[in-house]
Amino acid sequence: MEKLLQNFDKEIAKIEISGGKFLKGSIIDISNEIVVLFNGTDYLYIPIDHIQNLKVNNDNEDQIDEPAEPPSINKDKEELTLTQVLTQAQGMYIEIYVTGKLPLNGYISNIMDDFIVFQSPIYKSQYIAIKHLKWLIPYSSNKRPYELAEKTFDILPYNEPLSNTLESQVEKMKNKLVVINNGEETHCIGKLNNVVGKIVEIKTARSTSAYINMDHFKTIQEV
C-alpha cells in the first residue's frame, strides 16, 4: 500500500482510518510507516497500518491551503518511522486518537517496547498500546491542553518503575482498580483479578467476571 501512496504526495486527500474516522488534508510527507497530513491548521501523523482507504479530493471544497510553517516533527525530512514520530513528540503537548469518540490530549512521558506512558490532565497516567495509535497531532508551541495555566499541567518525568512490554506492565496491576479503553464498556472498569497469558479477568462493580484479551487493550490506567 505504501508504494502506491507515494503517488499522492502533495495531493488533497480524504482518508478513512480504523474506527470509521475520516480525515481530510494535504499530504505533505509519506514514508513506509507514516502519512503526514496538513488539514489547514494541524499536522496529523497517521500510521499507514490504520489507513483503511484513501481518495484524492480534487475539488478541495474545504479550501485547505499549503502550510505556512514546517512541521515540528521531522524538520530534517528523514524517512519517518512511527518510533521516530513518538520519540520526537516526547515532551511536547500533543493530541492522540486511540479509541472512542474523543481524542486524548497531553504528552508522552515514556516510550517502552510496545506502549507509551501518556499524561493527561483529564485521565492522568495511562498506558497506551502503540499498535492502536491512529493519529498524533503536535500542538503549537505556545499552547497547552485546555489553555491550562503554567505549572497547572507541566511536562514532568514519570519516575514509577516500568516494564518493557504492556503485557508485563499489566501483570503488575493485579488487585488494582483499572479502567481499560477509557471505560467504553462496563466490563472495562473494575478490579484486575488475574492475568493468564494474554487473558485478563476483570471483576466489575456488580462482582461479575469479564475476560478480556490483552491484544485489544488500547489504553489502561490505575484508579
PDB file of all heavy atoms in Angstrom, residues 32-47:
ATOM      1  N   ASN A  32       7.254   4.642   4.546  1.00  0.00           N
ATOM      2  CA  ASN A  32       6.715   3.281   4.593  1.00  0.00           C
ATOM      3  C   ASN A  32       5.794   3.057   5.783  1.00  0.00           C
ATOM      4  O   ASN A  32       5.018   2.110   5.793  1.00  0.00           O
ATOM      5  CB  ASN A  32       7.858   2.258   4.641  1.00  0.00           C
ATOM      6  CG  ASN A  32       8.627   2.190   3.343  1.00  0.00           C
ATOM      7  OD1 ASN A  32       8.096   2.497   2.283  1.00  0.00           O
ATOM      8  ND2 ASN A  32       9.890   1.787   3.421  1.00  0.00           N
ATOM      9  N   GLU A  33       5.867   3.946   6.800  1.00  0.00           N
ATOM     10  CA  GLU A  33       5.081   3.735   8.012  1.00  0.00           C
ATOM     11  C   GLU A  33       4.103   4.862   8.318  1.00  0.00           C
ATOM     12  O   GLU A  33       3.122   4.645   9.033  1.00  0.00           O
ATOM     13  CB  GLU A  33       6.010   3.558   9.222  1.00  0.00           C
ATOM     14  CG  GLU A  33       6.870   2.310   9.157  1.00  0.00           C
ATOM     15  CD  GLU A  33       7.663   2.098  10.438  1.00  0.00           C
ATOM     16  OE1 GLU A  33       7.295   2.664  11.496  1.00  0.00           O
ATOM     17  OE2 GLU A  33       8.666   1.356  10.388  1.00  0.00           O
ATOM     18  N   ILE A  34       4.365   6.062   7.815  1.00  0.00           N
ATOM     19  CA  ILE A  34       3.625   7.251   8.252  1.00  0.00           C
ATOM     20  C   ILE A  34       3.168   8.084   7.054  1.00  0.00           C
ATOM     21  O   ILE A  34       3.919   8.270   6.098  1.00  0.00           O
ATOM     22  CB  ILE A  34       4.507   8.131   9.167  1.00  0.00           C
ATOM     23  CG1 ILE A  34       4.897   7.381  10.448  1.00  0.00           C
ATOM     24  CG2 ILE A  34       3.804   9.445   9.516  1.00  0.00           C
ATOM     25  CD1 ILE A  34       3.759   7.143  11.418  1.00  0.00           C
ATOM     26  N   VAL A  35       1.931   8.588   7.139  1.00  0.00           N
ATOM     27  CA  VAL A  35       1.467   9.648   6.249  1.00  0.00           C
ATOM     28  C   VAL A  35       1.306  10.908   7.094  1.00  0.00           C
ATOM     29  O   VAL A  35       0.702  10.871   8.171  1.00  0.00           O
ATOM     30  CB  VAL A  35       0.120   9.293   5.586  1.00  0.00           C
ATOM     31  CG1 VAL A  35      -0.468  10.499   4.860  1.00  0.00           C
ATOM     32  CG2 VAL A  35       0.297   8.147   4.598  1.00  0.00           C
ATOM     33  N   VAL A  36       1.856  12.027   6.616  1.00  0.00           N
ATOM     34  CA  VAL A  36       1.702  13.304   7.298  1.00  0.00           C
ATOM     35  C   VAL A  36       0.695  14.134   6.519  1.00  0.00           C
ATOM     36  O   VAL A  36       0.884  14.406   5.325  1.00  0.00           O
ATOM     37  CB  VAL A  36       3.036  14.063   7.418  1.00  0.00           C
ATOM     38  CG1 VAL A  36       2.842  15.343   8.238  1.00  0.00           C
ATOM     39  CG2 VAL A  36       4.100  13.179   8.062  1.00  0.00           C
ATOM     40  N   LEU A  37      -0.376  14.518   7.194  1.00  0.00           N
ATOM     41  CA  LEU A  37      -1.482  15.245   6.578  1.00  0.00           C
ATOM     42  C   LEU A  37      -1.578  16.628   7.212  1.00  0.00           C
ATOM     43  O   LEU A  37      -1.514  16.756   8.441  1.00  0.00           O
ATOM     44  CB  LEU A  37      -2.783  14.468   6.821  1.00  0.00           C
ATOM     45  CG  LEU A  37      -4.002  14.768   5.944  1.00  0.00           C
ATOM     46  CD1 LEU A  37      -3.784  14.247   4.538  1.00  0.00           C
ATOM     47  CD2 LEU A  37      -5.250  14.118   6.551  1.00  0.00           C
ATOM     48  N   PHE A  38      -1.743  17.655   6.397  1.00  0.00           N
ATOM     49  CA  PHE A  38      -1.982  19.011   6.903  1.00  0.00           C
ATOM     50  C   PHE A  38      -3.431  19.362   6.606  1.00  0.00           C
ATOM     51  O   PHE A  38      -3.850  19.394   5.445  1.00  0.00           O
ATOM     52  CB  PHE A  38      -1.042  20.018   6.247  1.00  0.00           C
ATOM     53  CG  PHE A  38      -1.248  21.429   6.734  1.00  0.00           C
ATOM     54  CD1 PHE A  38      -0.880  21.801   8.018  1.00  0.00           C
ATOM     55  CD2 PHE A  38      -1.832  22.392   5.915  1.00  0.00           C
ATOM     56  CE1 PHE A  38      -1.075  23.102   8.475  1.00  0.00           C
ATOM     57  CE2 PHE A  38      -2.026  23.686   6.351  1.00  0.00           C
ATOM     58  CZ  PHE A  38      -1.654  24.050   7.637  1.00  0.00           C
ATOM     59  N   ASN A  39      -4.221  19.610   7.671  1.00  0.00           N
ATOM     60  CA  ASN A  39      -5.661  19.833   7.489  1.00  0.00           C
ATOM     61  C   ASN A  39      -6.053  21.310   7.417  1.00  0.00           C
ATOM     62  O   ASN A  39      -7.223  21.652   7.509  1.00  0.00           O
ATOM     63  CB  ASN A  39      -6.458  19.128   8.593  1.00  0.00           C
ATOM     64  CG  ASN A  39      -6.214  19.720   9.971  1.00  0.00           C
ATOM     65  OD1 ASN A  39      -5.511  20.723  10.130  1.00  0.00           O
ATOM     66  ND2 ASN A  39      -6.780  19.088  10.989  1.00  0.00           N
ATOM     67  N   GLY A  40      -5.061  22.159   7.259  1.00  0.00           N
ATOM     68  CA  GLY A  40      -5.308  23.592   7.226  1.00  0.00           C
ATOM     69  C   GLY A  40      -4.932  24.281   8.520  1.00  0.00           C
ATOM     70  O   GLY A  40      -4.712  25.495   8.548  1.00  0.00           O
ATOM     71  N   THR A  41      -4.854  23.489   9.597  1.00  0.00           N
ATOM     72  CA  THR A  41      -4.494  24.019  10.918  1.00  0.00           C
ATOM     73  C   THR A  41      -3.376  23.210  11.551  1.00  0.00           C
ATOM     74  O   THR A  41      -2.407  23.754  12.066  1.00  0.00           O
ATOM     75  CB  THR A  41      -5.713  24.009  11.856  1.00  0.00           C
ATOM     76  OG1 THR A  41      -6.775  24.750  11.268  1.00  0.00           O
ATOM     77  CG2 THR A  41      -5.370  24.620  13.212  1.00  0.00           C
ATOM     78  N   ASP A  42      -3.518  21.881  11.520  1.00  0.00           N
ATOM     79  CA  ASP A  42      -2.611  20.979  12.221  1.00  0.00           C
ATOM     80  C   ASP A  42      -1.957  19.991  11.267  1.00  0.00           C
ATOM     81  O   ASP A  42      -2.470  19.686  10.183  1.00  0.00           O
ATOM     82  CB  ASP A  42      -3.385  20.174  13.282  1.00  0.00           C
ATOM     83  CG  ASP A  42      -3.947  21.044  14.387  1.00  0.00           C
ATOM     84  OD1 ASP A  42      -3.196  21.894  14.900  1.00  0.00           O
ATOM     85  OD2 ASP A  42      -5.121  20.872  14.742  1.00  0.00           O
ATOM     86  N   TYR A  43      -0.805  19.444  11.742  1.00  0.00           N
ATOM     87  CA  TYR A  43      -0.158  18.322  11.081  1.00  0.00           C
ATOM     88  C   TYR A  43      -0.589  17.037  11.784  1.00  0.00           C
ATOM     89  O   TYR A  43      -0.445  16.919  13.008  1.00  0.00           O
ATOM     90  CB  TYR A  43       1.354  18.457  11.150  1.00  0.00           C
ATOM     91  CG  TYR A  43       1.915  19.602  10.341  1.00  0.00           C
ATOM     92  CD1 TYR A  43       2.161  20.837  10.938  1.00  0.00           C
ATOM     93  CD2 TYR A  43       2.192  19.446   8.992  1.00  0.00           C
ATOM     94  CE1 TYR A  43       2.678  21.893  10.194  1.00  0.00           C
ATOM     95  CE2 TYR A  43       2.701  20.504   8.238  1.00  0.00           C
ATOM     96  CZ  TYR A  43       2.942  21.714   8.850  1.00  0.00           C
ATOM     97  OH  TYR A  43       3.445  22.759   8.114  1.00  0.00           O
ATOM     98  N   LEU A  44      -1.103  16.083  11.024  1.00  0.00           N
ATOM     99  CA  LEU A  44      -1.524  14.808  11.574  1.00  0.00           C
ATOM    100  C   LEU A  44      -0.551  13.733  11.104  1.00  0.00           C
ATOM    101  O   LEU A  44      -0.304  13.589   9.898  1.00  0.00           O
ATOM    102  CB  LEU A  44      -2.933  14.430  11.117  1.00  0.00           C
ATOM    103  CG  LEU A  44      -4.106  15.257  11.645  1.00  0.00           C
ATOM    104  CD1 LEU A  44      -4.253  16.565  10.873  1.00  0.00           C
ATOM    105  CD2 LEU A  44      -5.404  14.461  11.554  1.00  0.00           C
ATOM    106  N   TYR A  45      -0.013  12.989  12.058  1.00  0.00           N
ATOM    107  CA  TYR A  45       0.896  11.878  11.759  1.00  0.00           C
ATOM    108  C   TYR A  45       0.099  10.585  11.890  1.00  0.00           C
ATOM    109  O   TYR A  45      -0.333  10.210  12.981  1.00  0.00           O
ATOM    110  CB  TYR A  45       2.091  11.912  12.699  1.00  0.00           C
ATOM    111  CG  TYR A  45       2.955  13.133  12.479  1.00  0.00           C
ATOM    112  CD1 TYR A  45       2.591  14.380  12.993  1.00  0.00           C
ATOM    113  CD2 TYR A  45       4.113  13.057  11.712  1.00  0.00           C
ATOM    114  CE1 TYR A  45       3.370  15.510  12.764  1.00  0.00           C
ATOM    115  CE2 TYR A  45       4.901  14.186  11.478  1.00  0.00           C
ATOM    116  CZ  TYR A  45       4.514  15.404  12.009  1.00  0.00           C
ATOM    117  OH  TYR A  45       5.279  16.516  11.769  1.00  0.00           O
ATOM    118  N   ILE A  46      -0.124   9.912  10.761  1.00  0.00           N
ATOM    119  CA  ILE A  46      -1.053   8.787  10.688  1.00  0.00           C
ATOM    120  C   ILE A  46      -0.290   7.517  10.319  1.00  0.00           C
ATOM    121  O   ILE A  46       0.296   7.442   9.229  1.00  0.00           O
ATOM    122  CB  ILE A  46      -2.145   9.054   9.627  1.00  0.00           C
ATOM    123  CG1 ILE A  46      -2.807  10.417   9.857  1.00  0.00           C
ATOM    124  CG2 ILE A  46      -3.177   7.939   9.624  1.00  0.00           C
ATOM    125  CD1 ILE A  46      -3.595  10.910   8.659  1.00  0.00           C
ATOM    126  N   PRO A  47      -0.274   6.500  11.192  1.00  0.00           N
ATOM    127  CA  PRO A  47       0.364   5.233  10.824  1.00  0.00           C
ATOM    128  C   PRO A  47      -0.367   4.579   9.652  1.00  0.00           C
ATOM    129  O   PRO A  47      -1.602   4.474   9.652  1.00  0.00           O
ATOM    130  CB  PRO A  47       0.233   4.384  12.102  1.00  0.00           C
ATOM    131  CG  PRO A  47       0.062   5.384  13.207  1.00  0.00           C
ATOM    132  CD  PRO A  47      -0.720   6.506  12.593  1.00  0.00           C
TER     133      PRO A  47
END
